């Protein structure tokens, strides 16, 4: 039940844009049902979470059932993928991803048979299982964070912590405008969410559980309160003030517990763990019902006649759900995610993936093209709006001037790219674009630097080897000459060949000096290893590799246009 | 450039910021006209026209979009601040030259909007008071009412004005106190001119009103005006306690000269002042300190312009050393499991 809590905490900054959440909450969560709406082909990308790309374990032509695993997690930081319905694998090939670059990735293409036939589902008894077994089970069920970050959930649901954790936070804040998938999920399936929360609590051994919901969702709050009251466990629904980005994990943890998790640290370091409400539901379905993650709720909103939420099978082309909402003719962009942090889609054939919380249609009327960029007048609005307490104006100057060292000193990498600074900027400066640019440049340079370091190491070792070989050779020759001389002298007198031993000690000393220099160089190289690359989360590493892939692709495309030596 | 997220923007622009600043100046101007006659309106007109013409000309020479930048209103704000700090009966060319210096030299030679390290209006004021100290003290006598026609004749040089001009209260005081008669005290001056400073308090009140509007609109934050006024008040209060014969009281110090105009409209110039909260406090307190020092120990009747320019030089450094702690690094919160 909601007992009045000790007062909530506040985070600095944030903005209050128009939320536009009403339109898509008038209808209940829909399912694509009419024969025209059910897709005949599902495109299921293998890589749908942070971490390694799962390996396909089905062959073209193979019959699969709904919920059958089709991709095996690649290592521990990865998550399995499953067939969203029954049918035949028609291809395993590269398809365009829901990513602004139009990047392609390996997908399992499924020709659906319309029977929607489940595999045999069996609940999982987590109480009998070891922590490792729970982790493996959730990994194989493909459960990932559904708030948008798609971090593999099994890595966060760690059961073998002595004494459990202090606070489990369930994120139902959903602060971005237009998006209502969590809101509708809480209204309609509060009981299942709460069951999932209870399971999570048991696994984590959390002392207290707080379900944070923004106060602009009264229906969801009411539904969750009833469900919490019915469950018998002492969970608490916490109503948090509506302010973007209160739904960011770090912001919500701050609001509820007062703890600020700095950049580069994980919330578990502070005895807190935070999950999205939809993830809690996925946990319930995986453990309680034995069903892997094969669908999610997606909001379709923006420039459509009938905005609505749908329960969508993973792999459904987004055009199918867009069509069900009657898009308006002046639509000029498709955005995955919300208007603050969403990314533009390269086309409408890309599939819904586990990260797809919202498909937002834009037009010049809803999202007018930005007014011309004016110079920064240092008004400081951005600093007031920044939830990470940065000085965006300084970061802007440094990023623009490509003074990347200074930008890092001013905590560029603490930026969460929430967009608040760009939102408030009276000069219409696309600030976040400048930070994205600076970050990718820094990553690229560090990568180049580590490659250069490797090359330098190889070169230095070669030099060392040449010198060493030369010295060894001369030492050998000297020794031989000395031996010959000694033999000769032995034959005549008993004098010792002093000069020759001196020569060989000298050679030894030289070799020792060189070895010491090499060791020093090694040490230096270790300390000079780029620090940003070391502290990156798996998520950021994935982003970097995506950027690298894009770079490579662009370079490939540009090859014909470049001079041969470029 | 592709349009990336965020796709939503708040309806605000440089233009709306500048126009609200201009709007906030109006109560002070009304009081000004009430006590000193319409001469200041002529100066406002001259400065505005010169500023916009100069802005357009330089933008054309720099091959920048003329309308976009002329319409941003920043030149107008500079012009009005110049007109309000220059003597209302100064000759027309004085304010024209001052405004040209502000726009062409202090603003555009440094790179235009947002790039100027010095407050353009204060550069103009400092230059002109150094070059023409006498002309820069042509203030109308509060008692004499000057109508529009007389003002025109005075400003455009068809008439002399010795009879009707008088020094500002600050100027009167310092001339008297630094004069030959060492026995002069504030009290003897005030005894001779009991209404010294009258009218200025109302103008100051007008600026205060405008400043509160800017605070309410979140165009300025409390840090700069508060630190500036507090440091002035503190210095005036302490010195007045120690030597009431030669140092003004808090009220006189705050209500005379350009103190309130500076507090809400000049010290608060975002481009040339500090941006971090602590930096703003240091910057404005520094301006207050230097203003007071120049007023009482320097060679000029009012020291705001010089104080602002001196602190402008220090602003980047102050900002660098007062960066606020970022999220997660404020307290000594240590991870429980590291």
């Amino acid at each position: 039940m909601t007992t009045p809590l000790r007062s909530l905490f506040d985070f600095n900054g944030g903005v209050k844009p128009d939320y536009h959440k009403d339109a898509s909450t008038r209808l209940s969560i829909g399912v694509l049902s009419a024969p025209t709406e059910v897709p005949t082909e599902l495109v299921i990308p293998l890589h749908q979470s942070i971490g390694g790309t799962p390996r396909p374990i089905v062959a073209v032509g193979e019959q699969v059932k709904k919920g059958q695993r089709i991709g095996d997690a690649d290592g521990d930081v990865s998550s399995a993928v499953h067939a969203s319905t029954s049918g035949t694998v028609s291809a395993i090939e590269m398809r365009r991803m829901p990513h602004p670059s139009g990047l392609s990735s390996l997908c399992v293409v499924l020709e659906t048979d319309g029977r929607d036939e489940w595999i045999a589902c069996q609940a999982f008894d987590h109480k009998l299982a070891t922590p490792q077994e729970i982790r493996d089970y959730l990994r194989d069920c493909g459960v990932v964070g559904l708030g948008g970050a798609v971090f593999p959930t099994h890595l966060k649901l760690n059961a073998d912590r002595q004494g459990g954790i202090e606070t489990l936070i369930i994120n139902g804040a959903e602060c971005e405008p237009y998006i209502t998938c969590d809101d509708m999920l809480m209204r309609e399936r509060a009981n299942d969410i709460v069951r999932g929360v209870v399971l999570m609590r048991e696994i984590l051994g959390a002392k207290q559980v707080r379900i944070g919901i923004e106060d602009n969702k009264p229906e969801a709050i009411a539904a969750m309160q009833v469900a919490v009251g019915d469950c018998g466990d002492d969970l608490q629904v916490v109503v948090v003030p509506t302010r973007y980005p209160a739904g960011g994990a770090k912001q919500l943890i701050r609001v509820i517990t007062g703890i600020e998790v700095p950049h580069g640290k994980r919330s578990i370091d502070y005895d807190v763990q935070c999950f999205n409400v939809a993830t809690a539901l996925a946990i319930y379905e995986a453990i309680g019902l034995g069903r892997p993650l094969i669908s999610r709720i997606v909001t379709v909103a923006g420039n459509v006649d009938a905005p609505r939420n749908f329960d969508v099978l993973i792999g459904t082309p987004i055009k199918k759900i867009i069509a069900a909402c009657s898009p308006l003719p002046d639509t000029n962009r498709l955005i995955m995610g919300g208007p603050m942090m969403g990314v533009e889609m390269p086309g409408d054939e890309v599939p819904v993936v586990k990260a797809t919380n919202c498909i937002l249609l834009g037009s010049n009327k809803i999202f007018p093209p930005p007014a011309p960029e004016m110079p920064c007048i240092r008004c400081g609005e951005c600093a007031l709006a920044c939830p990470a307490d940065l000085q965006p104006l300084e970061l802007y100057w440094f990023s623009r001037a490509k003074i990347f060292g200074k930008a890092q000193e001013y905590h560029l990498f603490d930026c969460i790219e929430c967009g608040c600074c760009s939102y408030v900027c009276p000069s219409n400066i696309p600030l976040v674009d400048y930070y994205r640019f600076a970050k990718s440049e820094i990553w690229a340079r560090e990568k180049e630097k580590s490659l250069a370091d490797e090359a330098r190491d190889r070169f230095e070792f070669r030099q060392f080897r040449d010198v060493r070989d030369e010295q060894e050779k001369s030492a050998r020759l000297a020794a031989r000459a000395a031996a010959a001389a000694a033999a000769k002298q032995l034959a005549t007198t008993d004098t010792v060949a002093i000069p020759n031993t001196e020569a060989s000690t000298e050679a030894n000393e030289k070799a020792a000096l060189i070895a010491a220099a090499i060791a020093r160089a090694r040490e230096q190289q270790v300390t000079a290893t780029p620090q940003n690359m070391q502290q990156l989360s798996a998520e950021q590493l994935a982003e970097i590799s995506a950027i690298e892939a894009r770079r490579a692709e662009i370079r490939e495309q540009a090859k014909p246009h470049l001079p041969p030596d470029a | 450039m592709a349009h990336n997220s965020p796709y939503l923007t708040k309806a605000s622009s440089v233009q709306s910021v500048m126009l609200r600043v201009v709007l906030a100046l109006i109560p002070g101007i009304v009081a000004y006209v009430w006590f000193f006659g319409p001469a200041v309106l002529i100066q406002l007109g001259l400065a505005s026209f010169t500023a916009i013409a100069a802005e357009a000309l330089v933008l054309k020479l720099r091959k920048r979009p003329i309308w976009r930048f002329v319409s941003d209103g920043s030149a107008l704000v500079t012009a009005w601040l110049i007109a309000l700090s220059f003597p209302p009966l100064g000759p027309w060319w004085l304010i024209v030259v001052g405004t040209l210096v502000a726009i062409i030299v202090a603003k555009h030679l440094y790179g235009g909007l947002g790039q100027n390290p010095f407050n353009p209006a204060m550069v103009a004021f400092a230059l002109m008071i150094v070059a023409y100290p006498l002309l820069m003290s042509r203030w109308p006598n509060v008692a004499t009412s000057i109508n529009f026609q007389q003002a025109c004749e005075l400003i455009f040089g068809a008439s002399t004005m010795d009879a009707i001009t008088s020094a500002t209260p600050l100027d009167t005081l310092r001339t008297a106190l630094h004069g030959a008669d060492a026995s002069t005290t504030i009290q003897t001056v005030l005894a001779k001119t009991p209404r010294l400073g009258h009218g200025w308090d109302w103008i100051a009140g007008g600026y205060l009103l405008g400043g509160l509007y800017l605070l309410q609109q979140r165009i300025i934050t409390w840090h700069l005006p508060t630190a500036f006024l507090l440091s002035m008040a503190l210095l005036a209060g302490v010195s007045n306690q120690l030597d009431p014969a030669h140092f003004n009281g808090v009220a006189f110090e705050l209500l005379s000269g350009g103190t309130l105009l500076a507090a809400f409209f000049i010290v608060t110039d975002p481009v040339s002042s500090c941006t971090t909260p602590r930096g703003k406090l240091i910057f404005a307190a520094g301006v207050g300190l230097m203003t007071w020092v120049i007023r009482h120990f320097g060679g000029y009747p009012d020291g705001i312009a010089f104080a602002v320019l001196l602190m402008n030089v220090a602003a980047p450094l102050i900002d660098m050393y007062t960066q606020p702690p970022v999220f997660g690094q404020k307290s000594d919160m240590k991870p429980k499991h590291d």
Side-chain angles (χ1 to χ4, degrees):
Chain A
M1 277 306 290
T2 42
T3 45
L5 268 180
R6 58 201 151 72
S7 61
L8 292 174
F9 297 87
D10 196 11
F11 66 92
N12 293 331
V15 294
K16 290 180 179 172
D18 286 339
Y19 284 94
H20 299 283
K21 288 188 187 250
D22 291 342
S24 56
T25 54
R26 287 191 197 118
L27 296 168
S28 59
I29 297 172
V31 280
L32 299 181
S33 51
T36 49
E37 287 177 344
V38 176
T40 51
E41 184 189 84
L42 294 180
V43 179
I44 304 170
L46 286 159
H47 189 251
Q48 290 193 58
S49 74
I50 302 294
T53 304
R55 299 176 308 275
I57 52 168
V58 286
V60 176
E62 196 174 322
Q63 294 278 334
V64 292
K65 285 187 175 170
K66 183 173 187 165
Q68 183 178 334
R69 207 185 320 152
I70 54 177
D72 248 348
D74 177 37
D76 210 32
V77 187
S78 179
S79 187
V81 288
H82 302 79
S84 314
T85 184
S86 56
T88 316
V89 175
S90 60
I92 298 174
E93 61 187 21
M94 302 296 275
R95 287 288 183 99
R96 204 148 71 151
M97 286 290 95
H99 189 280
S101 66
L103 194 75
S104 291
S105 169
L106 196 61
C107 299
V108 173
V109 184
L110 201 63
E111 208 169 293
T112 60
D113 61 12
R115 289 203 295 273
D116 210 27
E117 209 177 324
W118 269 100
I119 49 164
C121 298
Q122 202 179 3
F124 176 78
D125 193 347
H126 65 283
K127 285 178 180 150
L128 291 179
T130 65
Q132 186 59 48
E133 281 166 353
I134 297 176
R135 273 203 294 276
D136 290 350
Y137 177 75
L138 289 174
R139 185 194 63 204
D140 293 341
C141 279
V143 182
V144 297
L146 294 178
V150 288
F151 189 81
T153 301
H154 64 273
L155 298 173
K156 282 164 78 183
L157 266 188
N158 197 342
D160 48 7
R161 270 276 293 270
Q162 285 301 314
I165 65 164
E166 187 66 32
T167 312
L168 168 62
I169 291 176
I170 303 299
N171 189 345
E174 198 169 47
C175 58
E176 262 213 69
Y178 289 100
I179 307 180
T180 57
C181 57
D182 292 346
D183 186 2
M184 292 308 291
L185 195 70
M186 287 187 285
R187 291 189 200 190
E188 297 189 10
R189 303 188 62 184
N191 284 321
D192 290 348
I193 294 172
V194 169
R195 284 185 190 114
V197 174
V198 172
L199 286 169
M200 283 168 150
R201 176 187 212 166
E202 285 168 5
I203 293 170
L204 287 168
K207 293 189 187 68
Q208 50 178 2
V209 182
R210 307 267 185 266
I211 303 170
I213 308 172
E214 275 191 345
D215 58 12
N216 64 353
K217 303 173 193 47
E219 294 92 342
I221 294 167
M224 289 298 284
Q225 282 174 339
V226 170
V228 163
D230 292 347
C231 83
D233 209 342
D234 64 333
L235 317 177
Q236 280 188 327
V237 173
V238 181
V239 179
V240 303
T242 298
R243 179 161 43 121
Y244 178 81
K250 288 188 174 182
Q251 278 65 38
L252 191 65
I253 291 171
R254 162 77 195 164
V255 168
I256 291 178
T257 67
I259 295 170
E260 288 189 3
V261 181
H263 170 68
K265 290 266 185 246
R266 296 167 310 158
S267 59
I268 193 67
D269 297 333
Y270 295 82
D271 238 4
V272 181
Q273 202 59 284
C274 181
F275 297 91
N276 180 265
V277 282
T279 315
L281 181 75
I283 292 283
Y284 166 66
E285 292 193 330
I287 295 179
L289 306 177
R291 290 180 181 178
L293 181 61
I294 51 155
S295 68
R296 67 157 298 145
I297 313 295
V298 181
T299 307
V300 183
N303 203 38
V304 290
D305 232 3
R308 192 178 184 183
N309 282 279
F310 291 92
D311 194 348
V312 189
L313 297 177
I314 303 296
T316 305
I318 61 173
K319 63 183 169 199
K320 284 285 181 189
I321 47 171
I322 293 171
C325 295
S326 334
L328 298 175
D330 62 337
T331 300
N332 63 358
R333 61 163 47 95
L334 294 174
I335 298 159
M336 187 175 107
M340 297 300 285
M341 294 185 75
V343 290
E344 193 158 349
M345 292 295 98
D348 64 358
E349 87 291 356
V350 297
V352 165
V353 291
K354 291 175 184 176
T356 312
N357 49 5
C358 178
I359 297 295
L360 187 58
L361 282 74
S363 70
N364 279 340
K365 225 163 89 194
I366 303 183
F367 306 129
E373 186 178 333
M374 293 286 285
C376 170
I377 55 169
R378 302 174 64 81
C379 66
E381 275 290 308
C382 50
L384 291 177
C386 181
D389 300 322
L390 303 171
Q391 295 283 308
L393 68 161
E394 304 286 1
L395 290 176
Y396 159 72
W397 291 112
F398 295 134
S399 302
R400 191 190 158 108
K402 300 188 186 173
I403 307 172
F404 297 128
K406 270 286 191 188
Q408 281 172 268
E409 258 177 55
Y410 280 68
H411 307 282
L412 172 68
F413 286 94
D414 286 37
C415 168
I416 57 172
E417 300 181 20
C418 65
C420 288
C421 51
S422 306
Y423 175 80
V424 297
C425 180
S427 291
N428 308 305
I429 303 171
L431 292 161
V432 185
D433 282 345
Y434 281 97
Y435 310 147
R436 289 181 186 126
F437 161 75
K439 286 179 182 176
S440 67
E441 280 298 303
I442 292 168
W443 283 326
R445 285 179 189 194
E446 287 182 351
K447 200 146 203 173
E448 255 167 47
K449 189 175 172 301
S450 62
L451 285 177
D453 283 345
E454 272 173 39
R456 197 190 58 220
D457 275 358
R458 273 200 303 274
F459 175 72
E460 280 176 354
F461 178 72
R462 199 197 144 143
Q463 272 190 324
F464 158 76
R465 195 187 56 196
D466 287 351
V467 173
R468 182 196 61 193
D469 290 355
E470 188 62 32
Q471 284 176 339
E472 278 176 0
K473 197 173 160 193
S474 55
R476 259 200 320 276
L477 287 175
R480 208 180 295 157
K488 210 183 264 174
Q489 271 185 348
L490 261 185
T492 53
T493 60
D494 274 339
T495 6
V496 184
I498 296 160
N500 288 333
T501 28
E502 266 178 5
S504 67
T505 19
E506 206 174 291
N508 282 339
E509 270 170 16
K510 260 190 196 163
L513 278 177
I514 290 164
I518 297 275
R520 268 204 305 281
R522 286 263 160 72
E523 233 166 73
Q524 267 173 6
Q525 191 247 326
V526 167
T527 48
T529 314
Q531 291 179 344
N532 285 307
M533 300 279 281
Q534 282 179 336
Q535 291 186 351
L536 290 182
S537 65
E539 185 184 337
Q540 284 166 319
L541 283 171
E543 197 180 330
I544 296 171
S545 46
I547 290 168
E548 283 304 322
R550 234 152 56 220
R551 273 177 199 279
E553 201 171 304
I554 290 165
R555 230 173 277 139
E556 205 54 46
Q557 287 168 358
K559 238 177 207 168
H561 313 289
L562 289 177
D565 58 342
Chain B
M1 193 165 161
H3 181 188
N4 297 324
S5 63
Y7 299 98
L8 288 177
T9 50
K10 198 175 169 184
S12 72
S13 63
V14 174
Q15 188 186 40
S16 86
V17 170
M18 296 295 173
L19 292 184
R20 276 177 288 169
V21 174
V22 165
L23 194 67
L25 282 167
I26 288 175
I29 294 173
V30 170
Y32 208 133
V33 173
W34 180 267
F35 286 99
F36 292 102
V40 70
L41 297 179
I42 300 171
Q43 303 284 2
L44 279 167
L46 279 171
S48 305
F49 176 79
T50 312
I52 287 170
E55 177 98 347
L57 179 75
V58 182
L59 287 169
K60 191 174 165 58
L61 292 175
R62 295 179 62 204
K63 299 189 175 62
R64 295 295 159 99
I66 295 176
W67 175 243
R68 192 199 299 170
F69 283 99
V70 166
S71 64
D72 68 23
S74 61
L76 204 62
V77 170
T78 304
W80 283 35
L81 292 177
I82 292 173
L84 292 176
S85 48
F86 272 42
L89 295 180
W92 64 271
W93 57 265
L94 190 72
I95 196 156
V96 168
V97 173
T99 309
L100 288 176
V101 167
I103 298 294
I104 297 173
V105 179
K107 184 176 179 185
H108 279 288
L109 287 191
Y110 284 102
L113 180 66
Q115 310 280 334
N116 48 295
F118 300 105
N119 185 317
M122 292 301 101
V123 170
F125 185 91
L127 189 75
M128 300 319 264
I129 202 161
V130 170
Y132 306 101
L134 222 61
L135 290 174
M136 285 295 279
S137 61
R138 275 166 51 164
W139 296 78
N141 198 328
V142 182
T144 336
S145 68
I146 300 168
N147 64 26
F148 191 75
Q149 199 193 336
Q150 288 170 308
C152 282
E153 285 169 8
L154 289 168
I155 291 169
F156 293 102
S159 157
T160 53
M161 65 275 304
D162 294 343
I164 43 169
T165 57
S166 75
T168 63
L170 278 176
D171 211 358
T172 311
L173 267 186
R174 69 167 289 114
T175 314
L177 291 175
H178 290 220
D181 186 0
S183 67
T184 314
T185 63
I186 291 177
Q187 286 68 30
T188 59
V189 177
L190 283 178
K192 261 184 267 173
T193 47
R195 284 166 68 76
L196 188 69
H198 177 65
W200 290 92
D201 41 6
W202 282 88
I203 298 174
Y207 292 143
L208 176 65
L209 204 65
L212 294 179
Y213 165 73
L214 291 183
L215 278 170
Q216 183 267 327
Q217 291 285 307
R218 293 207 351 163
I219 288 175
I220 60 175
T221 61
W222 61 270
H223 306 80
L224 288 163
T226 311
F228 174 67
L229 293 175
L230 269 183
S231 80
M232 292 273 288
L234 194 72
L235 288 162
V238 171
S239 59
N240 182 248
Q241 278 293 315
L242 296 175
D243 184 4
H246 293 94
F247 290 97
N248 307 317
V250 175
F252 189 89
E253 198 73 21
L254 294 192
L255 295 178
S256 61
T259 312
L260 264 291
L261 179 68
F264 292 104
F265 297 92
I266 291 169
V267 173
T268 52
D269 169 35
V271 175
S272 58
S273 68
C274 288
T275 52
T276 65
R278 274 191 304 147
K280 284 176 179 175
L281 295 176
I282 297 171
F283 175 88
V287 176
L289 168 71
M290 299 237 211
T291 303
W292 183 84
V293 167
I294 296 171
R295 274 186 184 180
H296 293 282
F297 306 105
Y300 293 95
D302 202 346
I304 291 173
F306 297 105
V308 167
L309 294 179
L310 285 169
M311 289 310 289
N312 282 164
V313 181
L317 199 68
I318 299 174
D319 268 345
M320 200 172 100
Y321 284 109
T322 54
Q323 287 297 313
V326 303
F327 186 89
Q329 295 181 358
K330 273 183 267 268
S331 50
D332 47 0
M333 221 180 285
K334 286 273 181 298
K336 290 195 177 171
H337 309 274
D338 207 3

